[in-house]
Amino acid sequence: MPASFLTRRKQSLWSKAGPTPRLIFGAFLIATVGLFGLTRNDIFGLSFAWPHAALWGAVGWGRVGLSIRPMIILIVFGIVQDVIFHAPFGSFEVINLMTYAASTAIASEFDVTNEPLIAIVSTVMLFIAAFLLLWLMASTLEDHPVRALPLVAAMLTTGLLYALLNKVFDLGRKPGETVGQAT
């Protein structure tokens, strides 16, 4: 076999896809997980925490820089979350957009695509910050500290599932490409 055949790898359909199909597929996955979250989430009498899937998009999409399309999608998901959780309008939009902005800031300062340790630490910090902001907003609106255990369980579920699905929310920024060029 020729050497060029061995060195050339067959590209997958996902690697050939541009940012728009990746963004649409990620939004579809978030919406699907959100719709299943409206059903009962207990199995054999054991209740389990459902992830805040919109944060997957906020963390993953923020790595390519600020772009209007992911922000609009995160705002739409925030409105839906406000309705579902009976939160004041704007609550989840703020959480989603603040997480998106923080993810973008981290990606612009550090190489999160080539440095796995930075990618892991920044992702963990982003999820902790998002859920801390959620707890602070809920506690402020309720005029007393809300229970943190359900939020910690949701944070763990969100983070663990993101660890498995993080490639879905990669919009395809190549190493060396400046932030904001992919979308």
Side-chain angles (χ1 to χ4, degrees):
M1 282 187 219
S4 63
F5 179 75
L6 293 175
T7 58
R8 185 176 48 200
R9 291 177 24 200
K10 187 173 182 173
Q11 289 186 332
S12 66
L13 183 63
W14 185 254
S15 65
K16 291 179 186 177
T20 301
R22 289 175 181 219
L23 183 67
I24 291 170
F25 184 76
F28 175 76
L29 180 64
I30 291 170
T32 303
V33 169
L35 285 174
F36 280 118
L38 295 176
T39 62
R40 292 183 53 178
N41 35 336
D42 59 344
I43 298 173
F44 303 116
L46 297 173
S47 181
F48 58 93
W50 200 254
H52 289 268
L55 291 177
W56 297 338
V59 170
W61 296 334
R63 292 184 173 187
V64 296
L66 291 177
S67 181
I68 192 71
R69 293 181 299 167
M71 283 193 257
I72 290 171
I73 292 171
L74 290 172
I75 289 170
V76 169
F77 284 139
I79 291 169
V80 172
Q81 287 173 297
D82 288 341
V83 171
I84 291 170
F85 292 109
H86 305 289
F89 281 113
S91 300
F92 280 96
E93 292 89 331
V94 167
I95 292 167
N96 292 344
L97 292 177
M98 293 288 285
T99 306
Y100 179 75
S103 178
T104 301
I106 289 171
S108 67
E109 290 296 320
F110 301 102
D111 185 11
V112 292
T113 56
N114 292 329
E115 295 292 335
L117 183 62
I118 292 175
I120 292 168
V121 169
S122 66
T123 301
V124 169
M125 287 179 15
L126 286 167
F127 283 131
I128 289 172
F131 279 94
L132 180 62
L133 181 61
L134 177 61
W135 180 81
L136 286 171
M137 288 181 83
S139 295
T140 302
L141 293 171
E142 291 293 321
D143 286 333
H144 63 83
V146 296
R147 291 182 41 214
L149 188 60
L151 288 176
V152 170
M155 179 182 68
L156 290 174
T157 305
T158 303
L160 291 174
L161 286 174
Y162 180 78
L164 298 173
L165 301 170
N166 66 355
K167 295 293 183 191
V168 173
F169 301 100
D170 177 14
L171 293 180
R173 188 172 117 207
K174 295 166 182 57
E177 186 176 35
T178 59
V179 173
Q181 284 184 336
T183 54

